[in-house]
Amino acid sequence: MHTVAVLALDQVIPFDLSAPIDTFNWAQLPDGRAPYRIKVCSVTEEVNAGAFTLRAPYGLEALAEADTIIVPGTTDPTGPLPPGVAEALRAAAANGTRIASICVGAFLLATTGLLDGHRATTHWIAAADLAAMHPAVTVDPNVLYVDNGQFLTSAGAAAAMDMCLHMIRKDYGSAVAAHAARMCVMPLEREGGQAQFITHSQPPTPAGTTMEPLLAWLEENAGRDLTLDDIAARAGTSARTLNRRFREQTGTTPLQWLHRARVRKAQHLLENTSHAVERIAVQAGFGSPTAFRDRFKRVVGTSPHAYRRAFRGAPDGADASSGSRGPGSRESGSRGSGSRESGTRGSGSREVRVPQQT
């Protein structure tokens, strides 16, 4: 039997802790046997999980006996690891144990140095901070999980289940993983990555800058067929001067800014109307449905049709139990707006925005 040790540290995020426990426990072999044994372990017997206190039946010695170790996130993942944790994780890694982190648990795993030289992910809202704090780790904020073989990292909430289902499939095959997915009421594989859950806001522009009126005009006219010369004429300057000033004040180019504005408009239309994709392509200012699909996939990470299935609310009077998914339900409620952040947690002079239940 495959032993999975779930590491519960103080201020563990409850969903990060429970998601792998439930997902692995749903797995069942064809003869009905359970393929996994789950052990919750910690440094101390009692663990503060925020809203409640839990008792961990096992200590750090369970990590040495595990085939897989799961590292859930905590509400302050940038702090130091408790004594003995880094050493226990490194020793397990040296013995070939598979180690996976969930959401901001990637910060904890990266602290051990085990992710150095590897590609990794975390919740998109914390990805830039992970990359800044651990420059030896290649952080990809656009995927649901990363599998480096021995080390795996996942994004938030449902992405933890995606990663666990992936591990079940590697351990026991697609049939066992598909059964666990059905019991979790989850697809075995989902379209797109984290990019579809990221709010693509424009770079902030200080109020009162010379670009502010032009940006407002671009937002209002994003659906028009605009060229760089059109935008420069509106600004009353040359295209070359416009590019230079625009980049100085916004950090991007006029056309890149316009493309983002069009994608945001398309997202709004996909979420709130039943218009055909071809019509939305025209309304959002794209030259053709093909150009629209290509640009949308490049920015959002999934197709317009897949985005609409994920984020369009159920029609009025629809039965919520019928399986229709509302906006953001394919991860956590924060994927569309970042609304489930717990706030700002300090890390020396830096600040890391940590999703509380991601």
Side-chain angles (χ1 to χ4, degrees):
M1 182 177 284
H2 189 114
T3 299
V4 177
V6 182
L7 181 61
L9 301 179
D10 262 347
Q11 297 298 326
V12 65
I13 297 173
F15 188 93
D16 289 8
L17 176 72
S18 62
I21 295 173
D22 277 353
T23 306
F24 285 114
N25 271 333
W26 277 124
Q28 180 178 296
L29 297 177
D31 61 6
R33 290 182 297 117
Y36 294 100
R37 177 191 297 110
I38 314 297
K39 293 185 176 182
V40 178
C41 56
S42 187
V43 178
T44 57
E45 185 177 349
E46 289 194 349
V47 178
N48 181 354
F52 57 89
T53 299
L54 63 90
R55 286 182 173 273
Y58 301 94
L60 293 181
E61 68 279 357
L63 300 183
E65 305 166 359
D67 300 292
T68 295
I69 296 171
I70 306 292
V71 183
T74 63
T75 56
D76 186 12
T78 62
L81 289 171
V85 172
E87 294 78 7
L89 289 173
R90 292 191 197 104
N95 288 331
T97 303
R98 181 173 63 186
I99 304 177
S101 66
I102 293 175
C103 193
V104 292
F107 285 81
L108 308 177
L109 188 53
T111 298
T112 68
L114 293 174
L115 293 181
D116 288 358
H118 293 290
R119 181 166 158 259
T121 194
T122 187
H123 192 294
W124 61 265
I125 207 167
D129 295 292
L130 179 64
M133 293 180 67
H134 300 281
V137 180
T138 302
V139 180
D140 186 346
N142 296 317
V143 295
L144 296 175
Y145 60 85
V146 172
D147 181 355
N148 290 300
Q150 184 179 9
F151 305 115
L152 297 90
T153 52
S154 79
M161 301 170 75
D162 289 302
M163 181 181 68
C164 291
L165 290 170
H166 168 73
M167 288 191 282
I168 293 171
R169 181 168 53 185
K170 288 185 69 175
D171 294 340
Y172 295 101
S174 295
V176 174
H179 171 78
R182 285 194 297 271
M183 298 305 292
C184 293
V185 198
M186 279 277 295
L188 186 54
E189 290 188 25
R190 290 190 290 159
E191 295 181 78
Q194 281 200 90
Q196 62 189 304
F197 304 107
I198 299 174
T199 304
H200 293 281
S201 58
Q202 299 290 5
T205 304
T209 59
T210 57
M211 286 294 111
E212 189 176 10
L214 180 63
L215 297 182
W217 180 82
L218 279 174
E219 193 78 42
E220 293 173 3
N221 293 274
R224 291 177 52 190
D225 182 15
L226 297 173
T227 65
L228 181 60
D229 288 337
D230 294 330
I231 301 171
R234 175 70 186 187
T237 186
S238 68
R240 182 175 180 179
T241 300
L242 173 67
N243 261 331
R244 177 175 55 81
R245 292 178 180 172
F246 207 96
R247 187 174 289 280
E248 287 173 354
Q249 296 187 32
T250 70
T252 188
T253 68
L255 291 181
Q256 287 172 337
W257 201 98
L258 180 61
H259 287 320
R260 288 294 177 115
R262 287 171 171 168
V263 167
R264 287 204 316 279
K265 182 172 183 177
Q267 287 176 299
H268 174 79
L269 293 169
L270 288 166
E271 293 173 17
N272 296 284
T273 75
S274 58
H275 298 169
V277 167
E278 291 73 16
R279 180 178 175 185
I280 290 176
V282 174
Q283 290 175 300
F286 292 92
S288 69
T290 299
F292 168 48
R293 291 186 179 94
D294 288 346
R295 175 66 61 173
F296 193 91
K297 182 70 177 286
R298 195 180 312 165
V299 173
V300 183
T302 191
S303 69
H305 285 295
Y307 183 89
R308 168 171 274 167
R309 286 197 299 270
F311 291 103
R312 188 180 175 198
D316 291 342
D319 183 357
S321 66
S322 66
S324 298
R325 294 189 176 191
S329 65
R330 292 180 72 179
E331 284 254 339
S332 76
S334 66
R335 298 310 186 267
S337 64
S339 61
R340 293 181 69 184
E341 303 160 15
S342 66
T344 305
R345 305 240 172 218
S347 174
S349 61
R350 304 183 71 255
E351 289 186 331
V352 179
R353 295 187 66 80
V354 178
Q356 172 68 14
Q357 190 165 316
T358 55

